[in-house]
Structure formats: structure tokens, C-alpha cells
Amino acid sequence: MDRIELIAPCHFGLEAVLKREILNLGYEISEVEDGRVSFYGDRKAICRANIFLRTAERILLKVGQFRAVTFDELFEKTRAIPWEEYIPENGKFWVAKAASVKSKLFSPSDIQSIMKKAMVKRLQERYHTDWFTEEGAAFPVRVFFMKDVATVGIDTSGISLHKRGYREVSGKAPITETLAAALIMLTPWNKDRILVDPFCGSGTFLIEAAMMAANIAPGMNRSFTAEEWKNFIPKRDWYDSIDEAEALIHDEIETDIQGYDVDGSVIKVARRNAREAGVEHLIHFQERDVKELRHPKKYGFVITNPPYGERLEDKKDLPALYRTFGESFRTLDSWSAYMITSYEEAERYFGRKADKNRKIYNGMLKTYFYQFLGPKPPKRPGEGRREDGQNSICNGK
């Protein structure tokens, strides 16, 4: 099984960013759908995708795809999947999640139960046993129905990939690490440019940017379910992938990445998170109100996740807050600003209509990524730079 197909779910609307990441890792795209990108690779691709991809939510090993409109069909077609090629006799296996859209089979619990029975039946026949101890490595299965077509995968990641391992405590209205990384990649920012987040909270935007600047792979400080799949992935593949990631780190660099927040206790959390991520020396955090947003240099970037007014009593403060933000930003000559918010009056009180606006779902919350573009800086001799809103991605090879 030298060639396998992997599925990488992502935030809806950010598939192009993930596709570019996968291509930069050297893999062939097989399909791009709403909320996921599929690609071909070898078994080592499981290791490299989990360690290097910044915008994927998890990595699934695709094991089957079929049409089923009855539970009998679901049972037989699940049973036809060669589960023994993936799951050893002592493996722990279950259908961890089932989802269904526009399909006749729509009950997650029933789908999970039927598929588990079919898996047991298949493995009983192949391993010639009536009982499985299920005391070995975990093989959680996920299935997604779309218009009666089931796509079946085994989760190689375990905990979602947005859990980098550096953020134990979050501030108010945290943005996930994967979404933060994707939004940064939608801007022309690079490590040589100034970056400020005046509502930095737990520091996610800044930490993700610093990790990109230092070329630190996002999965280096955590473990993955598939690390225990000794029957399927040689341990050497994991060691080689980590060695590859470590060799690419370049954290002895100078950056101008700054984070402000009016809450001093949140700044302490952000500093701790940056320290855990290994990028504390690349970010300057400061307790500061947005009205004090200032910087002497030109052509910088503001990338931020300002308060949304999640609680009803907080919404009354939003007009003044966004107005102050807009007034402060106007003092930053030649800068660009990018903000994600669910506050629909953001442009009005910010005092400027966005040059670009992208709808993005942050979980179940509909948000907007407003882009207020400043002028391009003059090109320095010998400098190659992208200004098309498609930031470069570090090649993991």
C-alpha cells in the first residue's frame, strides 16, 4: 500500500489555503470539497501532514466511499472494506463520529452502531475469532454522508490539530490556531513586515505568525493517534518527519511582532503561551488600550480578532470600541488592517468600508474577515514578495 488517500478537513471557505499548503508539502491533490481537501501520498505523508499542516483540522486515512440508502446497504458495504489492512487483531476501533447531509440515512447513532457491527463481522472472519480485546492502539473511524454517498476515514490525528500544545488557557472569544494561521496566510504579511494585534487576547494570531516566521512546524509539541499504529506506519517515519521539522527551524531571527490588550491578566496568559510555543523572544506583549495603537514605521499590518459582544450587556460598548479602533488605525500611515468579527456594524463604526470582505464560519458563528488595504511598500533590491493576499507557506521538504 505505497499510495494512500488522505482527507484534511478545514474551516469552510479556507480550502484554497489548505490546498496550497498540501501542494507545498509535495503531495498530489485528489479532490477539493466544501470544508475539506483530499490528497494522495505514502504512509509517511500521515506523519508529515500532521506535523507540518497549519490549517488542517485533522488528517483522515480514507478507507472507503460508497452509496448507501438503507442500513442493510450500509452494513454490507462497510463490511466489504478491508479493515484488516489497517486494524490489528488487538486494535481498539469504533465509529467516533457520523455526520449526514441531504441523505436518507441521517441518524448518527444508528449509523455508528451499524458500522461498528459490520467492522466486527469483517474482522471476526479475517482473524478467526469471536472476541476482540481492543486493548491495543486506537483506530477511531469517521463517516460523512453527502447525498447518500458515505466517505469513510480513520482519524490519524486524535485531538484536533488546532490544539498545538502551547495554549492551555484562552482569553475571551478565542480564535482557533488553525483559523488564525489560515487568516494570516490570506494576507501578504511575511516575517520582514511589522505585525500588531491590538486585541491580542491569548496571543494566537501573534504566536502563529511567529511560528511561521521561525519556520516552526505546528505539530512539533504534541502527539497523534497514528503514532501507535506500529502495524501500519514504521516508527522511523515519525522520527524522520520530526528530524525534518527540527532541521527547518530558524528562530534566530529578528521580527517586529507586537500584541496589546487592555487586560493585564490576559497579557500574562499570552506571554505564557508564547513561551510554550518557543517564540516568546519574537513577540513583544504590552498592556495597552486600542486608543494607544501607534507605530513609527510604515507599511505595517494589523491582524486582529476584536470583541464581538458575545454577551448582550457587552454589545452596547461595541460602537465606541470599533470607532476608537478606526480612529487609531487612521494614524498609521500606509498600514493595512485585517479583522475577523461577527459584529455586523464593524465597518460603520470603524469608519471605512473594507476593500475586501470574506465570510468565514468560526465554528457555528458566522464571521466576516474585513480587509482594509494600504499601499504596497517600495520593492527593495533583489526582494521577491507577494502582495496578492496569498502568503507563502514554508515547504516541509
Side-chain angles (χ1 to χ4, degrees):
M1 194 182 296
D2 295 327
R3 180 177 162 97
I4 59 176
E5 188 173 6
L6 300 172
I7 304 169
C10 64
H11 277 84
F12 182 84
L14 297 173
E15 299 84 3
V17 181
L18 175 56
K19 175 184 176 181
R20 197 165 71 254
E21 272 202 286
I22 293 168
L23 289 172
N24 282 355
L25 272 182
Y27 298 117
E28 176 190 350
I29 302 295
S30 57
E31 191 172 16
V32 178
E33 303 169 271
D34 289 345
R36 58 182 174 175
V37 181
S38 301
F39 60 101
Y40 295 114
D42 54 11
R43 299 187 192 206
K44 192 174 184 179
I46 293 174
C47 313
R48 296 183 72 240
N50 275 296
I51 291 169
F52 283 102
L53 292 180
R54 299 184 189 278
T55 62
E57 294 300 310
R58 62 183 66 248
I59 303 299
L60 305 177
L61 170 60
K62 184 176 178 180
V63 296
Q65 189 170 58
F66 52 79
R67 187 175 186 276
V69 296
T70 68
F71 285 121
D72 285 341
E73 274 189 302
L74 177 61
F75 182 91
E76 293 302 331
K77 291 182 179 179
T78 300
R79 181 181 174 184
I81 294 173
W83 295 103
E84 66 280 0
E85 293 182 6
Y86 313 101
I87 304 173
E89 188 171 350
N90 70 337
K92 179 181 179 182
F93 57 96
W94 73 104
V95 182
K97 184 173 182 179
S100 180
V101 176
K102 299 178 181 177
S103 300
K104 291 182 175 62
L105 301 181
F106 57 85
S107 167
S109 59
D110 289 335
I111 292 169
Q112 289 168 298
S113 176
I114 294 294
M115 291 187 68
K116 169 72 175 188
K117 290 176 182 176
M119 292 171 68
V120 168
K121 186 68 174 176
R122 169 84 185 202
L123 292 174
Q124 283 177 336
E125 294 168 351
R126 293 306 185 272
Y127 289 125
H128 307 292
T129 183
D130 292 327
W131 178 256
F132 296 104
T133 60
E134 297 198 47
E135 59 188 7
F139 293 82
V141 173
R142 289 179 169 242
V143 59
F144 175 68
F145 273 86
M146 171 58 79
K147 297 180 179 178
D148 298 322
V149 175
T151 302
V152 185
I154 306 177
D155 182 11
T156 73
S157 304
I159 297 171
S160 173
L161 293 181
H162 82 267
K163 302 274 190 172
R164 311 289 205 216
Y166 66 73
R167 189 174 75 172
E168 292 185 9
V169 182
S170 299
K172 295 178 181 178
I175 190 169
T176 67
E177 294 86 332
T178 47
L179 179 54
L183 295 179
I184 294 169
M185 289 178 184
L186 284 175
T187 79
W189 179 83
N190 64 59
K191 69 181 188 303
D192 298 322
R193 305 286 293 275
I194 306 157
L195 174 59
V196 175
D197 182 351
F199 303 99
C200 73
S202 56
T204 308
F205 269 128
L206 305 172
I207 293 170
E208 290 296 317
M211 290 176 70
M212 291 179 198
N215 214 11
I216 299 173
M220 289 193 64
N221 295 320
R222 53 160 290 165
S223 59
F224 309 98
T225 295
E227 286 183 66
E228 302 303 317
W229 295 3
K230 297 173 184 177
N231 63 305
F232 192 77
I233 306 172
K235 204 70 176 175
R236 172 52 55 189
D237 285 352
W238 289 102
Y239 294 145
D240 288 347
S241 299
I242 288 292
D243 288 346
E244 177 188 358
E246 288 179 343
L248 289 167
I249 295 175
H250 184 49
D251 62 355
E252 295 179 1
I253 57 174
E254 292 186 3
T255 59
D256 193 345
I257 300 175
Q258 302 183 25
Y260 312 142
D261 202 285
V262 71
D263 187 340
S265 63
V266 168
I267 289 293
K268 290 180 181 178
V269 170
R271 285 199 183 103
R272 181 166 64 245
N273 291 341
R275 186 165 56 250
E276 289 296 318
V279 294
E280 184 183 23
H281 62 297
L282 298 177
I283 308 171
H284 173 70
F285 289 106
Q286 187 176 357
E287 182 180 343
R288 186 191 290 194
D289 193 281
V290 69
K291 67 184 178 184
E292 299 172 21
L293 176 60
R294 300 286 186 274
H295 201 289
K297 296 180 182 177
K298 291 179 175 290
Y299 306 113
F301 287 78
V302 171
I303 305 179
T304 191
N305 174 36
Y308 301 167
E310 297 82 12
R311 297 178 303 177
L312 189 61
E313 60 267 30
D314 293 335
K315 288 190 181 296
K316 68 180 187 329
D317 299 327
L318 293 184
L321 185 144
Y322 280 81
R323 186 180 294 113
T324 301
F325 179 22
E327 291 169 354
S328 296
F329 176 71
R330 283 192 287 278
T331 68
L332 295 171
D333 181 36
S334 74
W335 281 49
S336 298
Y338 300 80
M339 67 171 163
I340 181 172
T341 179
S342 65
Y343 184 46
E344 296 189 356
E345 297 290 326
E347 288 175 299
R348 174 186 173 190
Y349 291 107
F350 188 75
R352 175 178 166 183
K353 184 171 178 58
D355 297 288
K356 294 182 180 180
N357 181 12
R358 194 182 189 112
K359 187 195 308 183
I360 294 170
Y361 280 89
N362 185 4
M364 297 302 293
L365 183 65
K366 182 173 68 174
T367 63
Y368 300 90
F369 189 47
Y370 294 104
Q371 304 171 52
F372 305 92
L373 308 180
K376 297 178 182 179
K379 209 168 189 178
R380 292 177 291 190
E383 180 185 19
R385 181 184 60 252
R386 301 186 63 159
E387 291 290 350
D388 58 357
Q390 299 292 321
N391 200 2
S392 62
I393 301 171
C394 298
N395 194 327
K397 282 193 162 182

